[in-house]
Amino acid sequence: MQCPMDTAASGTSPVMQFHSNADESTSHSSPLPTLIERSQRHCYGDGIPGEFPLAATCTFFSKPANFAPNFALSLPELAAFDMCQKRTMFKLMKQEDQECLKQRCGGSWKHVLKYILVREKNGSQVIAGPGHSIVITSNGDVYSFGANCSGQLGLGDSEDRFRPCIIRSLQGIRITQAAVGSRWTMLVSDTGSVYAFGKDNFRGAELVDDAPIQITTPKVVESLKGVFVVQAAIGGYFSAVLSREGRVYTFSWGKAERLGHSSDPSDVEPRLLSGLEDVPVAYISAGNCYLLMLAYQPNGMSVYSVGCGLGGKLGHGCKTNKGMPKLIEQFQSLSFKPVSIAAGTWHAAALGADGRVCTWGWGHTGCLGHGDEEYKAVPTVVEGLRNVKAVHLSTGEYTTFVVAENGDVYSFGSGESLAFQEDDEAEEGPDFSTPSIVSSLKALNKKVVQISPTNASYWLNSEMGHPHTFAVMDSGDLCAFGGGIRGQLGVKLLEGVEK
């Protein structure tokens, strides 16, 4: 199957066009224009995550409420409660569970709404995996393309796809979030169910049987049926999910010095990550061997980390492992209020409410943006972005991308993943250790709102080719660049061309 446009020799990033399977109805042929519709419907207007949306009060009074009057609540509290009721995850909760979440968030419906908005703000609808890609449209349909050797596309077979195909078996189920790992995919529905397919059963990339089980169509994860899941994440050695109550469950890679639940590394049952009983987690991000958690608190967000500490990627000023979640205290010293986090394979980044960016962990190829390749054991502000107000960030293996408020994209780290045009006649190679604008994206004259690079250990996935990256425009267009030998860019490359 070939895409109508072949971009192998164009020198620009291909703009993707979506296609359904041959026997698919035409009603699903063009979902991409509404791809980022959900991310644009911000109830908080131009405010930052964590601010109470004033528009909620106006919305509350514009039509009848869907709950009985409660004269003990103030008008802002009533409006916030009404907005919470519009979220499926909240509406399906029992009343006592709603009250429990309210207490965990600080005893206010406004805080509950802020907690929900933080989670929604950090969601991603386009995921670049190691060899395959997943896209979720605004109406909950899922498209997959790229390598499919283990059924990781969920299309019922193991044939690679060079253009996006809708997962037909999920039609009628609204998918809200996806996680992509090495030959493994997890999808989360709006009713809290988790669907998984591919080669693995939640075990890490190095814990693979001689004849691993392959699931080629989405299958409900039975062990999570008692948990309403709102997000899934896949690392190199483990998988994790986040419940609507803000609790984190992990699969595999246990033991006290790793994820703390003292189970065998090959354990595939979900284990509650202890140590955050009184802190609701709003978002999780998984690196190769560590997990970051963005936790909600009434006075602002905080970041916890757990797992392998080599290279300082846990952010605690040391390189030791942590089997229990620990608060990253450096943000307080920097007066930095985190609103978003990104765990790269070996390094991490955080976005502040004021638009600043911090990075830490291994600095190989300059992926921290500090002008060198030294590691940083605590979050450190990227000075090269001092005059940039960042609104989105993402991390890959040795790559970092930052989206500015005006839509410009800055990147630093591994050159082959950054979409720079290298000058073959230059005496010295380009410097990728400090932030630089991605000129090939700027030349498209379209505002970028989200960017997603591959986050995986490529020495474990070398047969999938080079890493790849997606950029989502405010127009709804999806731009792809990087490795595409297995179809993960959504186009068929020319013979002998890999990226």
Side-chain angles (χ1 to χ4, degrees), residues 54-331:
L54 182 61
T57 305
C58 299
T59 301
F60 173 65
F61 283 109
S62 65
K63 54 187 175 181
N66 56 0
F67 54 88
N70 187 335
F71 298 104
L73 296 178
S74 65
L75 293 181
E77 281 288 288
L78 283 172
F81 184 72
D82 180 59
M83 294 296 292
C84 291
Q85 288 281 1
K86 290 178 170 60
R87 271 66 181 181
T88 303
M89 62 156 276
F90 185 86
K91 183 168 55 178
L92 296 179
M93 297 177 75
K94 296 179 181 178
Q95 184 175 353
E96 56 266 31
D97 293 331
Q98 293 178 354
E99 288 292 337
C100 181
L101 179 60
K102 176 183 176 182
Q103 295 307 314
R104 283 170 56 79
C105 290
S108 167
W109 294 122
K110 291 189 294 184
H111 291 318
V112 174
L113 180 58
K114 290 178 184 178
Y115 163 74
I116 294 174
L117 291 177
V118 168
R119 185 183 58 77
E120 292 178 352
K121 174 67 175 178
N122 281 276
S124 176
Q125 306 309 115
V126 182
I127 301 94
H132 73 291
S133 308
I134 297 290
V135 174
I136 305 173
T137 67
S138 60
N139 62 0
D141 288 335
V142 182
Y143 285 74
S144 61
F145 46 102
N148 195 30
C149 48
S150 299
Q152 60 263 45
L153 299 185
L155 301 173
D157 56 38
S158 57
E159 298 295 322
D160 292 355
R161 297 294 197 281
F162 290 89
R163 55 184 182 179
C165 295
I166 192 170
I167 302 181
R168 298 177 65 246
S169 62
L170 289 173
Q171 288 184 274
I173 300 171
R174 187 181 181 89
I175 299 299
T176 58
Q177 192 264 336
V180 178
S182 177
R183 307 183 189 181
W184 179 240
T185 305
M186 297 169 67
L187 303 175
V188 180
S189 76
D190 65 342
T191 57
S193 296
V194 177
Y195 298 82
F197 44 96
K199 77 156 189 201
D200 208 350
N201 193 19
F202 299 102
R203 286 167 290 184
E206 292 186 337
L207 300 171
V208 180
D209 298 331
D210 293 334
I213 298 174
Q214 295 187 5
I215 305 170
T216 61
T217 56
K219 181 180 179 182
V220 173
V221 179
E222 298 290 338
S223 60
L224 286 170
K225 276 199 168 182
V227 180
F228 193 111
V229 175
V230 293
Q231 189 204 343
I234 299 177
Y237 295 94
F238 65 94
S239 299
V241 297
L242 174 66
S243 77
R244 64 182 171 186
E245 295 82 13
R247 296 185 175 91
V248 179
Y249 297 80
T250 60
F251 301 80
S252 183
W253 219 53
K255 303 300 182 184
E257 71 276 12
R258 291 169 177 169
L259 296 182
H261 47 66
S262 300
S263 64
D264 187 86
S266 61
D267 183 23
V268 296
E269 292 297 315
R271 307 289 180 180
L272 180 63
L273 187 62
S274 58
L276 293 171
E277 289 78 9
D278 298 324
V279 180
V281 175
Y283 182 76
I284 57 177
S285 186
N288 187 63
C289 51
Y290 70 106
L291 182 68
L292 295 183
M293 292 152 283
L294 185 65
Y296 177 80
Q297 294 174 329
N299 59 348
M301 309 300 295
S302 56
V303 181
Y304 291 77
S305 62
V306 66
C308 174
L310 291 178
K313 54 185 176 287
L314 296 185
H316 302 306
C318 61
K319 295 186 286 185
T320 57
N321 300 341
K322 300 295 180 184
M324 298 287 285
K326 183 178 179 180
L327 175 69
I328 299 180
E329 299 178 352
Q330 178 68 5
F331 291 122

